[in-house]
Amino acid sequence: MGTGRNTGRNTGTGRETAQGTHAPGSRHRTLATVCLPGALEEKLRAASGAGFDGVELFEPDLLGCALAPEHVRAFCGALGLAVDLYQPLGDFDSRDPARFADNLRRATAKSELTARLGCDTLLVCSSTAPDAAEETDRIAEQLHQLAARAADSGLRVAYEALAWGRHVNTWQRAWEIVRAAGHPALGLCLDSFHALTSRTGDTSGIRHIDPERLFFVQLADAPRPEEGLRRWSRHHRLLPGQGELDVAGFLAEADAAGYRGPLSLEVFNDVFRQGSGVQLARDAMRSLLAVGDAAYVGHPGRAADAGEGPQRGGRTVPAAPEPVGHGCTVLAVDDRAGPRAAAVLRALGFSHTAAHRTEPLRLFEQGAARVLLDGSGGGAAPHTAAGARLVACELTSAAPEAALARARALLAPVAAAGRPEDAGEPASVVAPGGLLVRFRSTADAERLPDGFVPAEEGPVPSAGLTRTDHLGFALPFDRFDAAVLFWRTVPGLVPQPPTEAATPAGPLTGRVLAAPGRGPAGVRLALQSIRRGPGAGSAAPYGFQRVAFASDDIFATAVALRRAGAPVLPVPVNHHDDLDARLGLPPALSSALRDHAVLYERDAAGAYFRLCTPALGGRVSLEVVQRVGEYRGCGAAQDPVVTAALLRYGALV
Amino acid sequence: MGTGRNTGRNTGTGRETAQGTHAPGSRHRTLATVCLPGALEEKLRAASGAGFDGVELFEPDLLGCALAPEHVRAFCGALGLAVDLYQPLGDFDSRDPARFADNLRRATAKSELTARLGCDTLLVCSSTAPDAAEETDRIAEQLHQLAARAADSGLRVAYEALAWGRHVNTWQRAWEIVRAAGHPALGLCLDSFHALTSRTGDTSGIRHIDPERLFFVQLADAPRPEEGLRRWSRHHRLLPGQGELDVAGFLAEADAAGYRGPLSLEVFNDVFRQGSGVQLARDAMRSLLAVGDAAYVGHPGRAADAGEGPQRGGRTVPAAPEPVGHGCTVLAVDDRAGPRAAAVLRALGFSHTAAHRTEPLRLFEQGAARVLLDGSGGGAAPHTAAGARLVACELTSAAPEAALARARALLAPVAAAGRPEDAGEPASVVAPGGLLVRFRSTADAERLPDGFVPAEEGPVPSAGLTRTDHLGFALPFDRFDAAVLFWRTVPGLVPQPPTEAATPAGPLTGRVLAAPGRGPAGVRLALQSIRRGPGAGSAAPYGFQRVAFASDDIFATAVALRRAGAPVLPVPVNHHDDLDARLGLPPALSSALRDHAVLYERDAAGAYFRLCTPALGGRVSLEVVQRVGEYRGCGAAQDPVVTAALLRYGALV
């Protein structure tokens, strides 16, 4: 029973773990897996090697791991590590009874998982959600219910005040709630970061806490946080269009005031100061031209207030025609990756429809999706990479010439011609990171390019893929913000808020940009940047690339893929267990997801299904996705799981 | 006259710059030099190349530059750039009349400088100082005085509200003050970052500002700043001992409560997640052992409250004996750098006192300062570097064995023996970054090491250097915090708050650690980390290293150096002009500093003089410093100037 054991631990009279009894007086030392780089197995080895007694297991580390919870427990045991804490529960308490009931169900499922890990303590942090409960008694009562269930599984619950909790943001308040709950399996978790950076910052009363109820202590230091905004301002500013402030609205106000003086960029950013000045200055000019344009376009009323209209330089950049869809995607492949890529495309239901007369260029089509495998190698720098690489893409619109004119006006470099497939085609521009972008007329999208002849191969049966849903690719960390600016300003895609995740390859930042006005089916890009950790591997220097195709019925597609022998990336059971625990999926759906290695995500607008291949040439994964309702993301919550799996299963070639 | 010109600019009827008249309606586009990497000259070229019309000149960029203001102006003119803004003035207004008078004197000097730059606008930001004026009328009156003086020099003053200004932190308040001041040469500067992140975040009234009084508009974007603390917590936590929170005090409170459960490190840090897990886990264990020790030592009363005392594991690490002084410093030198280093040491007044019997090891001494030149090369990894490199140091204390025992208990790796000079010496440990550290008995510090015999050379005249004042060295950015932890916990040095600066080599973080209790003359280290920019150069992969020697009369030493032909690093005139403007130095002092290329810094506790050599082997600068009063830093404010000069004048070999 939880409580008895807890008492034993807290009075320091020795504690039994999987690894035996600690001597009285010695401290049990624990390292959170979140501190460490790499895959979970590497983290555990490093913690054990440095002499730690246990770990705090961070949920994303488990979800990305191929080991079932029992195997994680056994792995830890073999390394002499206890699993001292599992922390899966955020936003537990709620003013909304229905939501609380769902949270309790979720918590119960996570309690079972915690027990399977051989861990006796579940961490619950104070809620940050808008529906967080406010009154001490209500929160205490809800935590009491959780503690009672946890105690039934031999567990205890440690409650921690986040410094940014909505209503509970000091340890004093959390302790008040723990006392009010009055359940022996409910205690306090203290974290030095939260205690020392909370509103009060006062730790002097901690000594009066009943040690029987102080379940866990976490230690972390930090630079002085008082000057948050100042530090933000001095290190993390971005060029207009790269961040989330309404700079165009601000500028429109100044314009409306009649201001005609200099527009000056003042952007303190450490990453910029490590890069190329020439490149940064060009990005800066692009930003300034585009923000002036956006201020005029987005707020013509305000600009008109000044009584001058467009002729006073308001519109200095041609308008961006709306991108309608993805045209052809070009993958450069070497002699090893090329045949494998062709085989995988066929297994995905793509027919090889045309080939270049003289060059090793092969076109594959399914529905409106088009992929060109370019085996010409050795040409422009992007082609020289070994394996496979996403090197070029097309955006279709009604006015490709205007799109190119806008790109030129915004200082996008025009690609040198000379690639065999470029003959007779419109010019491409080079996006940050090196991807070539061509603007093609919608009317022209299905035309066979010059120099191509129909392939002699017969068609293969479709797997139900209808179009290219999105492209995803990683950028060097110092070009990520430049890429956001490029895609936002040149074709006029709209950025969604950035996402962040911890992956075995390093911390990952993601940002989706999508064409406005076309809903879920429009043009979409998923940019990523990984701050490289030791697990990043050498084949994918900045992370992975993906080409995602849309299906209207992912399970039917999955069956077709299985029949055709398509390689599918295995999904850790922990991902599906987590979906069940979090979302309470219907059993039929849950088992279909598991059977077909389909990842799933849901938000308030809709749902998203996703199936991946291992990485061609260690770099490019082909994906099948299905959108339900108005879901507009690209599965950012799944990216850590996918990244871990891509690293684990290595190159497909 | 400023006002007339301003009117011209703001009504958009054309503006004269050094580069001619801009067409009506076109916007004047400006880039702040602070956005760009590299030395000022590179920044200006990049801005010009991207088509900018002007720059905001950031003061540190000017101070580190070898060009006089007139030459910067001419350089800009040749590139077609106007200098649109100079921003040197912080914390201008004051409740303290004496301080305000001094600020006005400083501002007048900076106005002259602004005029010399060919710039007509001086930026003044709202004060963040404790003595900031609060009432609108008082601030307005003080700014009126400044504007009147500026107008006499043909300048205007733009006043900007920082979002973290003490009393003025919204543009609305700044605008109110500008109106109240009622001087035509005083106007408003608006910055989108400050306007959009201030308390109100409201920009909707900007359109009603009189455009004649809106002097300047700065644009910057940023990630959403609302969640500052949360973001801080998720990316910038540090191990206990690396940051500035009182984690030991927190732990002592938990101990006093009677908590005996796990101590867990939960440290979210992107840099850690990019590094080596094995190294990080070892750092983490060191941190946890040391914070437990510090909690016990620093708060024995609190721990005793728990009624158990040391025997309950309070002191698991041997105490650190206090470091008394710097012993011998070892520079590895190759065949090119070795003779040059010996010549420079002699010119600095060092005598070559002893040499190794069989190995190319030469000892130099002056007062209590000792330097060993190690030309044995080819041995351990640190020696293989070409040029010159700081590879080992000694700390003297009364109990070196205890210091070594503590280092071992804190998991410091013990260096493999095998260097010729190690024979018969105590073991060294390896600090993060690779520096070897030996703990030597104070009594033993002047003993000739085994295998050495007195040199045959006669002594050279002393230049008045008395001892080694401090060592300074740069670390890879991902080992900086680990180094702070090592030096803080192993020998027990006390870290001072970190400092930050922009240098041509990249953004620089500095942190001084000093032995407690010995005052300015004690053991001291200046750690640096440069986030590498393109100007970093290849010879100094992470930045520079320095060995600083103390003089009781730096000007006498400077005269001796000149006589001996010692190479001295030139100091830009802009540094000395800035000292005069900021500090109003007596003319005799000012001219002595200029004559001898001595840098100067002053704080509330005392003053600091500094004279540098160019970098031996492109990496190691020898310095002469003099401390006055209780000054305890190592000249962090001068580091950007010194770094720029070391880069500019290249390697001394």
Side-chain angles (χ1 to χ4, degrees), chain B residues 43 48 66 69 72 207 286 342 395 397 430 436 438 536 539 570 582 644:
Chain B
K43 293 172 186 239
S48 170
V72 171
R207 63 176 61 201
R286 177 179 298 153
L395 299 181
S397 74
V430 187
L436 301 178
R438 177 171 287 149
R582 278 196 294 121

Side-chain angles (χ1 to χ4, degrees), chain B residues 336-407:
Chain B
R336 288 183 63 216
R340 187 74 177 138
V344 172
L345 283 168
R346 285 191 195 96
L348 290 179
F350 280 81
S351 295
H352 173 27
T353 53
H356 195 273
R357 222 181 287 269
T358 57
E359 302 289 334
L361 303 172
R362 284 173 294 170
L363 185 66
F364 290 80
E365 297 183 272
Q366 180 175 190
R370 272 191 162 194
V371 176
L372 182 70
L373 295 184
D374 180 343
S376 62
H383 287 69
T384 60
R389 183 164 168 177
L390 170 59
V391 290
C393 71
E394 293 181 340
L395 299 181
T396 62
S397 74
E401 304 79 10
L404 182 61
R406 179 176 172 89

Side-chain angles (χ1 to χ4, degrees), chain A residues 157-160 175 178 183-189 212-215:
Chain A
V157 175
Y159 181 59
E160 174 179 10
W175 174 227
V178 166
H183 192 288
L186 181 71
L188 191 66
C189 173
E212 300 282 309
R213 312 304 295 282
L214 184 47
F215 283 2

Side-chain angles (χ1 to χ4, degrees), chain B residues 32-45:
Chain B
T33 57
V34 75
C35 306
L36 293 164
L40 180 58
E41 294 87 335
E42 300 167 65
K43 293 172 186 239
L44 296 173
R45 282 196 199 96

Side-chain angles (χ1 to χ4, degrees), chain A residues 87 207 219 264 266 305, chain B residues 87 207 219 255 264 266 305:
Chain A
Q87 46 163 309
R207 64 175 61 201
L219 301 177
S264 184
E266 194 186 68
D305 287 352
Chain B
Q87 47 161 310
R207 63 176 61 201
L219 300 177
D255 280 351
S264 184
E266 195 186 67
D305 287 352

Side-chain angles (χ1 to χ4, degrees), chain B residues 315-612:
Chain B
R315 184 115 219 184
T316 53
V317 182
E322 188 183 348
V324 173
H326 292 280
C328 187
T329 300
V330 183
L331 301 180
V333 287
D334 66 12
D335 292 346
R336 288 183 63 216
R340 187 74 177 138
V344 172
L345 283 168
R346 285 191 195 96
L348 290 179
F350 280 81
S351 295
H352 173 27
T353 53
H356 195 273
R357 222 181 287 269
T358 57
E359 302 289 334
L361 303 172
R362 284 173 294 170
L363 185 66
F364 290 80
E365 297 183 272
Q366 180 175 190
R370 272 191 162 194
V371 176
L372 182 70
L373 295 184
D374 180 343
S376 62
H383 287 69
T384 60
R389 183 164 168 177
L390 170 59
V391 290
C393 71
E394 293 181 340
L395 299 181
T396 62
S397 74
E401 304 79 10
L404 182 61
R406 179 176 172 89
R408 288 178 190 268
L410 290 173
L411 310 182
V414 174
R419 303 194 315 152
E421 64 268 37
D422 291 338
E425 297 289 333
S428 293
V429 296
V430 187
L435 189 70
L436 301 178
V437 186
R438 177 171 287 149
F439 303 101
R440 184 178 291 286
S441 160
T442 314
D444 196 32
E446 293 180 26
R447 188 181 65 81
L448 209 56
D450 285 358
F452 279 74
V453 292
E456 288 167 19
E457 254 179 56
V460 303
S462 164
L465 306 187
T466 56
R467 59 183 174 82
T468 301
D469 181 85
H470 70 271
L471 306 179
F473 47 94
L475 291 135
F477 79 94
D478 60 349
R479 297 303 290 158
F480 181 78
D481 292 313
V484 169
L485 179 68
F486 175 91
W487 294 104
R488 180 177 193 166
T489 57
V490 172
L493 304 184
V494 178
Q496 297 174 9
T499 55
E500 292 174 337
T503 80
L508 182 150
T509 302
R511 199 153 186 195
V512 170
L513 295 102
R518 295 246 153 204
V523 163
R524 200 167 301 261
L525 296 177
L527 305 186
Q528 293 189 337
S529 167
I530 294 182
R531 294 250 180 180
R532 283 168 65 73
S538 58
Y542 311 125
F544 296 97
Q545 302 176 325
R546 66 185 189 247
V547 187
F549 305 102
S551 166
D552 293 333
D553 183 346
I554 197 164
F555 294 114
T557 295
V559 170
L561 264 50
R562 182 171 295 176
R563 285 201 189 114
V568 170
L569 188 72
V571 176
V573 64
N574 299 322
H575 170 70
H576 290 122
D577 287 352
D578 174 60
L579 293 175
D580 285 346
R582 278 196 294 121
L583 307 176
L585 298 182
L589 174 58
S590 172
S591 87
L593 293 171
R594 290 168 193 265
D595 286 352
H596 294 289
V598 171
L599 299 112
Y600 179 75
E601 183 173 326
R602 194 167 78 189
D603 65 15
Y608 185 69
F609 296 84
R610 175 180 186 184
L611 179 158
C612 310

